[in-house]
Amino acid sequence: MVHPEGTESPPGLVQHRPEPPARIVVLVSGSGTNLQALIDAERADEGRPADTAFGGTIVAVGADRTGIQGLERAEQAGIPTFALRVKDFATREDWDRALRDKVAEYRPDLVVSAGFMKLLGPDFLAAFGGRVINTHPALSPSFPGMHGPADALAYGVKITGCTVFFVAGGVDDGPVIAQAAVAVEDDDDVDTLHERIKTAERALLVDVVGRLARLGWTIDIGKRKVTLP
Ligand code: GRF
């Protein structure tokens, strides 16, 4: 395939090797603690030698709503922000194209959906396919969708966790990059379980984004296999 920058990959493979530091756009819908973990990781780079650095720079933070803590965190960090609300567009497709165009302005190597509560549509993914990752608070393929912690609790599993994956157009079903397990405690409710998952999720996301930024990645679409060289 030929990705938007024009680098050719063998058929069935998507390969990206960002120029350091990798340009990252983060999409949020809520409290933005995952975003904050990425901001903190980038800040920790200051003064460090390049070979131990995080390797990415957050060039913009976008949201599907206004008045959220995630956008405030970005503003406090001096990162450009934008918000595009679905209800301000005639159709969902129009919103998807507007989001694509806005994100494209920042020329991202990587788009990180970090608690972004909207499915990205076909036009967005056509522009950034193979460069969009998401984090899900369950161990895929179990419990996809908006209620991963609640569904895990309701099912009665003893182990759940979080999954970072490349977005492929479905619901939490793209090629898996990394996962972390979290034990379910007897006295957990949805909030306590989700909070413990989010602690693991932030560490996993920072680790994955840093490795993608520093090393680049290859996705074998047919085999659903992600490798970081
Ligand atoms: C995370 O658990 C994410 O996986 C889920 O929503 C939560 C977002 O948390 N979709 P935050 O906004 O990063 O604090």
Side-chain angles (χ1 to χ4, degrees):
M1 98 169 246
V2 178
H3 73 65
E5 281 103 24
T7 304
E8 284 200 37
S9 307
L13 294 185
V14 176
Q15 293 178 320
H16 289 284
R17 302 284 179 272
E19 284 293 313
R23 298 174 62 82
I24 300 166
V25 171
V26 183
L27 302 176
V28 296
S29 295
S31 62
T33 63
N34 281 285
L35 165 67
Q36 188 67 54
L38 294 169
I39 292 171
D40 293 345
E42 182 185 341
R43 282 206 180 135
D45 270 3
E46 286 160 19
R48 281 170 62 181
D51 59 346
T52 64
F54 176 59
T57 180
I58 302 170
V59 292
V61 172
D64 63 331
R65 61 198 76 186
T66 55
I68 55 170
Q69 208 185 347
L71 288 175
E72 281 172 28
R73 291 177 190 275
E75 282 155 16
Q76 276 167 16
I79 301 169
T81 63
F82 59 88
L84 296 176
R85 302 183 306 178
V86 172
K87 67 181 180 188
D88 292 335
F89 294 84
T91 66
R92 179 74 180 229
E93 291 73 24
D94 288 347
W95 171 80
D96 189 52
R97 284 188 284 271
L99 185 66
R100 172 198 65 191
D101 294 345
K102 181 49 92 175
V103 169
E105 288 176 19
Y106 295 97
R107 296 177 289 105
D109 294 299
L110 191 63
V111 179
V112 180
S113 174
F116 187 60
M117 305 308 272
K118 291 279 184 304
L119 276 182
L120 296 163
D123 289 308
F124 189 95
L125 292 176
F128 303 113
R131 282 189 285 162
V132 185
I133 69 170
N134 192 4
T135 172
H136 177 58
L139 289 177
S140 297
S142 296
F143 313 124
M146 308 271 281
H147 308 291
D151 292 345
L153 212 50
Y155 194 90
V157 294
K158 301 299 184 192
I159 300 281
T160 184
C162 49
T163 302
V164 180
F165 61 98
F166 280 104
V167 176
V171 178
D172 301 322
D173 65 353
V176 171
I177 309 168
Q179 295 182 298
V182 173
V184 180
E185 307 293 347
D186 288 343
D187 58 354
D188 264 334
D189 58 28
V190 175
D191 291 338
T192 59
L193 178 59
H194 195 181
E195 276 311 311
R196 257 192 352 278
I197 292 171
K198 283 179 68 170
T199 300
E201 200 175 14
R202 289 189 283 269
L204 188 71
L205 187 66
V206 166
D207 177 62
V208 166
V209 170
R211 287 193 291 134
L212 293 172
R214 291 188 299 274
L215 303 173
W217 62 93
T218 301
I219 312 169
D220 184 327
I221 303 289
K223 293 181 180 164
R224 299 176 50 83
K225 191 171 168 58
V226 178
T227 46
L228 280 58

